[in-house]
Amino acid sequence: THGSGPDSRRSSCPRKKQKKRKRKVNPAHSRKRARGEDGSDEGETKSDEEARGSEEYEEVDFDFAVLDDEPKIESSAEYQKRRETFVKEIGSKEKQIATLAPNMKAIEQFTSIRDKLNDVNQEFNDAKVKAEEAGKKYEDIEEKRADLFNNAFQFVKGKIQEIYKSLTASTNFPNGGRAYLSLDTPTSAEFLGGVRYNAMPPMKRFRDMESLSGGEKSVASLALCFAINAFRPSPFFVLDEVDAALDSANVSKVANYVRKRAREDGLQCVVISLKDQFYEKADALVGIFKDRASESSGALMVDLSQYDN
């Protein structure tokens, strides 16, 4: 109902919530109506008609159910007070927005960083694949190296006993001595340690190489050299005064072994020695002397192969 007093324009009925509905709003038409109500402009101009014809309509949803049931404004003073409150809140929000100082290039920077991240991830994946390939190649090479080493080690290990026995055998001790090769580390880590070599001359107990005499060490060393040479024979062998620490009996044994290998296996040895036990087993003798007339060194060679019989 409406009263007849000053407040008759205000409705005493509570505001009802309306359902959500859709309507089409023409912005130009809305402006026209706004000007007509406040008395500033009456009717619709030609430009408004053109604007209304050129602008597209858009759908606007009005949902009055979301409005709060605030108490009605009963006076101008209350209106002014409510207005000032809203103006202050709007100003406060504007200041907060101004102090935020948003980075307007954030999206561009994010895109650049994302691209860099993708590139780094791709490089990482490529490096990971290459590392796996390199690891596989390393494992293959390591396995091949272990096979080559084990083949050589097992051959030398078996051959050295035979050679050492030949170098130390005699009439009284036909079986000669014994020589052993072993690894300091297990087979799975053979390259992390060394190779241990032990020799036991005839009628001697087992002991370290450091405890052997000079002649015994020389015979053991020759046995190891001949065993390695048997695995991969070289064109010739150079023995430089290896008999210096040997007695006459051991010099004869070494000379006989070298002569036997030369006849059977084609081993060629160049022996530098001062003992005649080696001379008589050689195929040729080469002597070096000082020629005082020419003030230089000279060489003499004698072929002994014609005196084998």
Side-chain angles (χ1 to χ4, degrees), residues 37-53:
E37 290 175 356
D38 58 12
S40 61
D41 193 5
E42 293 288 341
E44 186 177 17
T45 64
K46 184 177 180 180
S47 61
D48 292 333
E49 292 178 355
E50 293 177 355
R52 181 165 59 87

Side-chain angles (χ1 to χ4, degrees), residues 242-268:
V242 296
D243 56 352
L246 301 180
D247 55 15
S248 298
N250 286 321
V251 171
S252 297
K253 293 177 182 178
V254 173
N256 289 329
Y257 176 81
V258 172
R259 185 178 180 84
K260 179 182 178 182
R261 287 285 306 277
R263 296 290 186 269
E264 297 178 355
D265 302 330
L267 176 66
Q268 299 184 85

Side-chain angles (χ1 to χ4, degrees), residues 77-262:
E78 185 178 355
Y79 166 76
Q80 291 296 334
K81 182 178 180 181
R82 186 80 61 85
R83 184 176 181 277
E84 291 176 358
T85 302
F86 288 153
V87 170
K88 289 181 179 180
E89 291 182 359
I90 292 173
S92 177
K93 299 298 182 183
E94 289 178 348
K95 290 181 179 179
Q96 291 180 5
I97 293 174
T99 56
L100 290 177
N103 185 3
M104 305 306 295
K105 295 184 178 180
I107 297 178
E108 181 180 352
Q109 294 175 355
F110 172 78
T111 303
S112 176
I113 294 174
R114 182 183 59 186
D115 294 340
K116 290 181 180 180
L117 177 61
N118 294 334
D119 294 339
V120 172
N121 287 334
Q122 184 63 38
E123 292 178 0
F124 171 76
N125 293 330
D126 295 341
K128 185 178 180 180
V129 172
K130 292 181 180 179
E132 292 176 353
E133 293 177 353
K136 183 64 170 59
K137 291 180 180 179
Y138 174 79
E139 292 176 357
D140 294 340
I141 293 174
E142 189 177 35
E143 182 179 358
K144 182 179 180 181
R145 181 183 67 169
D147 293 339
L148 293 175
F149 173 79
N150 287 327
N151 292 336
F153 178 78
Q154 295 300 329
F155 178 88
V156 174
K157 181 180 179 181
K159 195 72 175 179
I160 196 170
Q161 172 59 31
E162 174 187 344
I163 296 174
Y164 188 73
K165 178 181 178 180
S166 300
L167 292 176
T168 56
S170 63
T171 305
N172 296 328
F173 306 102
N175 293 327
R178 302 183 64 84
Y180 306 94
L181 280 180
S182 61
L183 296 174
D184 287 340
T185 56
T187 306
S188 59
E190 61 271 8
F191 293 103
L192 300 179
V195 178
R196 187 175 297 276
Y197 178 34
N198 296 101
M200 191 169 60
M203 300 300 294
K204 296 287 183 72
R205 60 182 178 84
F206 183 83
R207 63 183 68 181
D208 293 334
M209 294 292 290
E210 291 78 7
S211 301
L212 299 179
S213 64
E216 292 170 341
K217 290 179 181 178
S218 297
V219 174
S221 300
L222 287 172
L224 180 61
C225 291
F226 288 134
I228 295 174
N229 183 74
F231 179 71
R232 292 289 176 84
S234 57
F236 59 91
F237 221 94
V238 178
L239 302 177
D240 186 4
E241 296 190 10
V242 296
D243 56 352
L246 301 180
D247 55 15
S248 298
N250 286 321
V251 171
S252 297
K253 293 177 182 178
V254 173
N256 289 329
Y257 176 81
V258 172
R259 185 178 180 84
K260 179 182 178 182
R261 287 285 306 277

Side-chain angles (χ1 to χ4, degrees), residues 273-284:
S273 176
L274 298 175
K275 297 185 178 181
D276 55 0
Q277 286 90 342
F278 259 122
Y279 299 163
E280 63 183 18
K281 304 294 183 182
D283 292 330

Side-chain angles (χ1 to χ4, degrees), residues 25-42:
V25 176
N26 186 349
H29 183 60
S30 299
R31 291 194 300 270
K32 184 268 296 184
R33 292 189 60 187
R35 291 193 299 271
E37 290 175 356
D38 58 12
S40 61
D41 193 5
E42 293 288 341

Side-chain angles (χ1 to χ4, degrees), residues 280-291:
E280 63 183 18
K281 304 294 183 182
D283 292 330
L285 296 179
V286 178
I288 305 298
F289 67 97
K290 182 177 181 180
D291 189 352

